[in-house]
Amino acid sequence: MQNIVVALIVMACFVYAVQTLMPNVPRRALARWLALWPHWPAFLARRLQRAAREPVAGCGCDSCDRPTKLGKAKEANGAAVSPQPIHIQRRRP
């Protein structure tokens, strides 16, 4: 019985690691393929459909794959935010 429980835990960890480390395009293709089976429970079917529709670029967090609108950005006090230049000074030996 203990071996079965350990095997299930190891398999769940393996599936999680593969899903996390898999590139975005194969992950979407796999989710699309798995979503075709009509007998999934409702919560799994929704999750697979959502994974199949993930954005193509970026990590899917809706922030790093979209360019920011500099004219629309505002601070908490309402003043417009402008990009600040970065000054890099070389160290002299």
Side-chain angles (χ1 to χ4, degrees):
M1 181 66 176
Q2 182 179 2
N3 289 337
I4 294 172
V5 171
V6 170
L8 290 174
I9 291 172
V10 169
M11 286 185 62
C13 292
F14 174 76
V15 168
Y16 175 77
V18 166
Q19 186 268 335
T20 302
L21 298 174
M22 185 183 293
N24 202 10
V25 174
R27 185 180 323 141
R28 275 196 339 258
L30 180 64
R32 199 174 303 122
W33 180 71
L34 288 173
L36 293 176
W37 193 54
H39 303 293
W40 291 112
F43 71 95
L44 279 177
R46 281 192 307 271
R47 186 174 176 140
L48 286 170
Q49 290 169 357
R50 187 174 56 235
R53 290 188 312 255
E54 274 186 356
V56 175
C59 62
C61 64
D62 295 335
S63 63
C64 60
D65 57 347
R66 294 182 183 171
T68 59
K69 296 177 182 161
L70 296 176
K72 303 279 183 183
K74 293 188 177 194
E75 287 182 0
N77 62 4
V81 177
S82 61
Q84 298 294 318
I86 298 174
H87 301 286
I88 300 174
Q89 296 181 2
R90 188 178 263 182
R91 290 178 80 180
R92 297 179 190 216

